[in-house]
């Protein structure tokens, strides 16, 4: 450390008064061989006036083991942040009192994202019947399959660990906005939903048309849910084979609503080993329908 000139002069003068020979009076011509044994006790109290601009180029030699205990600014991480999401339907965070996080936002690129909606939290439990998205408890969504008189609340998930015991995160959903720049465009949701207990098997015939021929009530056709390995009866739809079933209308009996791509969702007729396709090829259902593994749908690629 550099010492100011004035304190140094005071130390030398004190040494002269004590009879030390380390001070040159201009007359001494011999060599100074004495040793300064006094300790400098004057502290440097002058503050630096210039900033240190020298870059640290020395690499660290030890691993950083410190734990980050500071929360994020909002304390919430959205799974759809890249598309504009600001809250989480999985962790139920990011919204203020009087708001509920829902997968309801749609970006200009037609991507869905999580956003806070000013509404009272729903009260319908997962698995129970519902009519509107806001009916369900936070973290779930109301889904109605074709043929169901009412929907059911499904829990959002990113993996099966988000689901209850016995349920899997395998329910894929597609939503079609009714307004805005993305109106009419089917959009796959960025999150899946947890499976629910399957309904009872109706034991009906998907090739039997409607009513008693299909083993259903009058005006109903037979539909297949291969994920549950069941058949069930539902009111006959109005969309003919090859028609667009991305809206609220369902297919006529003997067809399945097939998502060919994000922009093509059509009614495709059922087929199997004894009911060949009149056009196109017969593709098996995925997952396969155990009671009839050859059951599939006709499609001309």
């Amino acid at each position: 450390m550099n010492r100011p000139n004035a304190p140094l002069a005071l130390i030398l003068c004190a040494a002269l008064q004590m009879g030390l020979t380390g001070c040159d009076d201009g007359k001494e011509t011999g060599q100074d061989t004495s040793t300064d044994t006094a300790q400098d006790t004057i502290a440097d109290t002058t503050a630096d006036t210039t900033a240190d601009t020298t870059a640290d180029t020395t690499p660290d030699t030890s691993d950083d083991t410190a734990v980050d205990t500071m929360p994020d600014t909002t304390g919430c991480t959205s799974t759809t942040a890249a598309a504009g999401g600001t809250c989480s339907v999985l962790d139920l965070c990011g919204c203020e009192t009087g708001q509920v996080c829902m997968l309801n936002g749609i970006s200009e690129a037609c991507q869905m994202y999580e956003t806070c909606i000013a509404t009272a939290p729903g009260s319908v439990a997962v698995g129970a019947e519902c009519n509107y998205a806001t009916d369900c408890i936070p973290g779930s969504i109301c889904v109605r399959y074709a043929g169901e008189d009412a929907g059911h609340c499904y829990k959002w998930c990113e993996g099966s660990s988000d689901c209850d015991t016995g349920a899997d995160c395998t329910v894929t959903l597609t939503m079609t906005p009714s307004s805005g720049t993305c109106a009419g465009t089917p959009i796959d949701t960025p999150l899946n939903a947890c499976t629910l207990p399957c309904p009872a098997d109706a034991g009906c015939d998907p090739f039997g048309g409607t009513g008693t021929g299909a083993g259903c009530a009058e005006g109903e056709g037979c539909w297949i849910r291969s994920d549950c390995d069941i058949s069930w009866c539902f009111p006959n739809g109005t969309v003919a084979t090859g028609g667009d079933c991305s809206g609220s209308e369902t297919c006529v009996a003997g067809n399945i609503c097939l998502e060919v791509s994000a922009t093509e969702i059509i009614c495709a007729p059922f087929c199997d080993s004894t009911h060949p396709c009149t056009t196109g090829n017969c593709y098996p259902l995925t997952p396969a329908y155990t009671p009839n593994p050859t059951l599939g749908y006709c499609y001309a690629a």
Side-chain angles (χ1 to χ4, degrees), residues 15-239:
L16 178 61
Q17 294 171 2
M18 295 172 61
L20 298 178
T21 59
C23 187
D24 187 356
D25 60 2
K27 298 178 181 180
E28 180 67 33
T29 58
Q31 184 177 8
D32 181 8
T33 59
S34 62
T35 301
D36 182 4
T37 58
Q39 185 177 6
D40 181 7
T41 58
I42 299 177
D44 179 7
T45 58
T46 305
D48 293 338
T49 57
T50 58
D52 180 9
T53 58
T54 303
D56 179 10
T57 59
T58 304
D60 293 337
T61 57
S62 59
D63 294 335
D64 180 10
T65 57
V67 177
D68 181 10
T69 58
M70 294 298 293
D72 295 334
T73 304
T74 62
C76 188
T77 301
S78 172
T79 55
T80 58
T86 57
C87 60
S88 172
V89 296
L90 300 179
D91 298 327
L92 301 181
C93 61
C95 295
E96 299 178 356
T97 302
Q99 297 180 332
V100 176
C101 184
M102 300 187 69
L103 192 59
N104 191 63
I106 302 176
S107 70
E108 293 183 358
C110 296
Q111 294 177 311
M112 297 194 70
Y113 61 86
E114 297 156 297
T115 185
C116 297
I117 303 298
T119 185
S123 58
V124 179
V126 171
E129 290 189 356
C130 58
N131 291 301
Y132 303 100
T134 52
D135 290 347
C136 302
I137 59 174
S140 60
I141 183 70
C142 187
V143 178
R144 183 177 70 84
Y145 280 96
E148 289 186 315
D149 294 330
H152 292 81
C153 291
Y154 284 71
K155 184 180 180 182
W156 288 116
C157 60
E158 193 172 26
S160 293
S161 60
D162 297 320
C163 302
D164 296 331
T165 302
D168 297 313
C169 186
T170 55
V171 179
T172 58
L173 301 175
T174 299
M175 296 184 178
T176 303
S178 58
S179 61
T181 57
C182 300
T185 302
I187 302 174
D188 293 333
T189 60
L191 295 171
N192 283 356
C194 300
T195 55
L196 295 179
C198 294
D201 185 9
C204 58
D205 180 6
F207 300 104
T210 60
T212 55
C216 297
E218 186 66 28
E220 293 184 341
C222 183
W223 190 59
I224 301 296
R225 273 194 63 180
S226 60
D227 62 322
C228 286
D229 266 344
I230 60 99
S231 60
W232 58 357
C233 298
F234 68 96
N236 189 32
T238 59
V239 182

